[in-house]
Amino acid sequence: MKTYIITGGAGFIGANFVKYMLATYHDVQLIVLDALTYAGNLGTIAKDVDGKRCIFVKGDICDSSLVTGLFEKYPVEVVVNFAAESHVDRSIENPRLFLETNILGTQNLMEVARKFWAVGKDDKGYPSWKKGVRFHQVSTDEVYGSLGATGYFTETTPLDPHSPYSASKTSADLIIKAYMETYKFPATITRCSNNYGPYHFPEKLIPLIIKNILEGKKLPVYGDGKNVRDWLYVEDHCKAIDQVVRFGRAGEIYNVGGHNEKQNIEIVKLTIDTIRHLMETEPAYRKVLKTDLSNVSYDLITYVTDRLGHDQRYAIDPTKMKNELNWAPETSFETGIIRTIRWYLENQAWVDEVTSGDYQKYYEKMYSNR
Ligand code: NAD
Ligand code: TYD
């Protein structure tokens, strides 16, 4: 039995990872540590938390005594750090919170792991590490900044973050690098492109667009809609992380992406077309439509004021993942987007649950001045 701490396991990717790990392995124990911010929802993993193979702990990754208590109580061998403030628009409104969670929280987790995992010193004074331990940081391609029309981010692309969110994730990567160099701390980092799939909080592009279409609301497209993101189905990301944790070399960074670039406006139009098609061919879905089917059209598209400092294009070169770890995305965008849209049509109760708090106030504030 291998014991993992999965931070942020009640959020989008973390929850998908928890489900993936429990479905794939019988010999893992997962301690999910999550502060349940607006983006975390215990209901998402309620069926997975059984108190034995999967234990839930509500708490902040910045809380040193809490994290220490978890290491004292459980034989933790792996930490996978998903916990973060993750939304670029929110980081523009309130950068400070991003620095606290994303940088200080990450350092706190590493510092506790360092104390529990170091088991002596080598002849040069570097710590020796308990066998089989690993700290894994879930980072983002946004640390590389923005691309023009051509080219891809590789692991050696210079770091050039533009938003408070990406700057905070970059800072976390740098403090991890410092631990790797100074203590030979056994860590790995994955930098992934935009994910999509089930349990994605509906403030991010794809789930927001689905939600608004179903409600007959405007679809806010920032700027000219031609910014490009490289989309990856969330389960493919989970498999990549698992592969890196088990077989990746400590001290290494791996880029994870799907060679699946799309302009935002393409995504918005495809989502409208797909929802309309599903409603026409499978009328049972119409019960979740809060507007007339004739309103599900491109007329909903509304170009709004651009995001400040909006990165133009992200695109990942995943060659290292392919060559070293034999990882490649398995889900095509065509399959993944239909699966995702169907999931949202069938799980409106989840959407209502996660948006029942302060979300509406946030949404109105965010889009009222655009
Ligand atoms: P999310 O916002 O859906 O979930 C974040 C989770 O972290 C939530 O459950 C939240 O409650 C929890 N959390 C926040 N602050 C915390 C704290 N201080 N202590 C403990 N828990 C806390 O995010 P996501 O989209 O699932 O992203 C997960 C990770 O993957 C993040 O580190 C993000 O930077 C990275 N990432 C995301 C994407 C993407 O497309 N979503 C792409 C690349 C990398
Ligand atoms: P988002 O899902 O916030 O992810 P990220 O900023 O981390 O890439 O945004 C994806 C793209 O969609 C990004 O170029 C901004 C754009 N966007 C819109 O055009 N309208 C929206 O309402 C949102 C949330 C994003």
Side-chain angles (χ1 to χ4, degrees):
M1 189 67 88
K2 204 166 178 93
T3 300
Y4 288 57
I5 289 182
I6 312 283
T7 72
F12 166 44
I13 309 174
N16 277 283
F17 186 75
V18 166
K19 290 173 193 298
Y20 170 78
M21 291 297 286
L22 292 174
T24 309
Y25 301 106
H26 292 292
D27 57 350
V28 295
Q29 181 186 40
L30 310 181
I31 316 297
V32 176
L33 172 61
D34 196 299
L36 297 182
T37 68
Y38 79 94
N41 175 40
L42 191 48
T44 304
I45 52 165
K47 289 199 179 116
D48 306 294
V49 174
D50 63 359
K52 290 187 199 116
R53 286 184 70 213
C54 184
I55 292 158
F56 179 77
V57 178
K58 183 174 178 204
D60 190 332
I61 59 167
C62 300
D63 183 340
S64 177
S65 56
L66 173 79
V67 178
T68 300
L70 294 181
F71 273 79
E72 279 166 356
K73 188 162 176 194
Y74 303 104
V76 179
E77 287 181 89
V78 179
V79 176
V80 185
N81 184 27
F82 293 94
E85 287 295 331
S86 69
H87 190 36
V88 173
D89 290 327
R90 287 185 189 249
S91 83
I92 295 167
E93 294 291 306
N94 179 14
R96 177 64 184 239
L97 182 57
F98 284 68
L99 310 191
E100 285 164 4
T101 291
N102 299 1
I103 308 172
L104 297 178
T106 301
Q107 191 267 340
N108 181 50
L109 291 170
M110 281 197 299
E111 190 54 21
V112 176
R114 184 166 84 88
K115 290 198 181 115
F116 280 82
W117 289 347
V119 287
K121 284 188 180 160
D122 70 14
D123 50 7
K124 290 193 176 125
Y126 289 106
S128 307
W129 298 99
K130 227 169 133 177
K131 247 188 155 34
V133 295
R134 175 61 61 87
F135 183 92
H136 183 73
Q137 174 72 356
V138 182
S139 185
T140 165
D141 59 357
E142 303 192 24
V143 300
Y144 299 119
S146 181
L147 290 164
T150 58
Y152 297 94
F153 297 133
T154 71
E155 289 80 2
T156 55
T157 300
L159 300 173
D160 182 24
H162 296 160
S163 71
Y165 163 69
S166 54
S168 69
K169 294 295 288 186
T170 309
S171 306
D173 285 8
L174 288 175
I175 190 71
I176 294 166
K177 287 280 283 171
Y179 271 57
M180 287 169 171
E181 297 293 335
T182 307
Y183 311 113
K184 298 201 189 303
F185 184 68
T188 37
I189 298 173
T190 42
R191 292 181 178 148
C192 188
S193 57
N194 286 62
N195 285 214
Y196 69 101
Y199 305 108
H200 204 181
F201 193 83
E203 65 183 352
K204 307 280 172 66
L205 181 69
I206 292 178
L208 175 74
I209 293 302
I210 298 171
K211 182 174 188 291
N212 282 11
I213 292 171
L214 297 181
E215 291 173 2
K217 280 192 191 153
K218 293 191 223 165
L219 311 179
V221 174
Y222 299 169
D224 62 7
K226 292 189 176 154
N227 300 66
V228 171
R229 297 292 181 265
D230 181 0
W231 295 92
L232 182 71
Y233 191 65
V234 63
E235 197 178 38
D236 283 327
H237 186 190
C238 294
K239 288 180 182 170
I241 292 169
D242 179 35
Q243 201 71 351
V244 171
V245 168
R246 285 187 305 143
F247 305 116
R249 287 177 295 140
E252 292 290 317
I253 293 167
Y254 296 87
N255 279 359
V256 179
H259 272 311
N260 182 48
E261 292 178 50
K262 303 268 179 228
Q263 289 186 345
N264 294 336
I265 190 64
E266 288 179 73
I267 298 273
V268 173
K269 286 183 173 168
L270 180 69
T271 307
I272 297 169
D273 292 341
T274 307
I275 291 184
R276 200 181 162 93
H277 177 74
L278 285 171
M279 295 287 169
E280 281 167 356
T281 54
E282 298 179 48
Y285 279 138
R286 285 191 208 166
K287 66 174 187 294
V288 298
L289 199 55
K290 298 180 184 107
T291 182
D292 202 85
L293 185 54
S294 62
N295 291 331
V296 180
S297 76
Y298 292 173
D299 290 345
L300 290 174
I301 295 171
T302 311
Y303 289 93
V304 298
T305 310
D306 209 354
R307 173 185 280 172
L308 301 179
H310 195 175
D311 285 341
Q312 185 56 38
R313 175 173 166 259
Y314 303 143
I316 282 275
D317 176 353
T319 307
K320 184 171 174 181
M321 279 298 292
K322 171 92 193 115
N323 290 351
E324 269 193 33
L325 298 173
N326 200 23
W327 174 90
E330 292 167 21
T331 310
S332 72
F333 190 71
E334 291 65 31
T335 303
I337 194 73
I338 291 195
R339 199 180 286 165
T340 302
I341 291 172
R342 281 189 190 278
W343 187 88
Y344 278 91
L345 297 181
E346 289 160 18
N347 289 278
Q348 283 294 296
W350 181 88
V351 175
D352 292 344
E353 191 178 321
V354 299
T355 54
S356 61
D358 281 345
Y359 172 78
Q360 202 54 36
K361 266 193 260 159
Y362 157 80
Y363 183 81
E364 278 152 22
K365 178 166 175 263
M366 218 57 179
Y367 293 100
S368 62
N369 54 359
R370 278 200 140 105

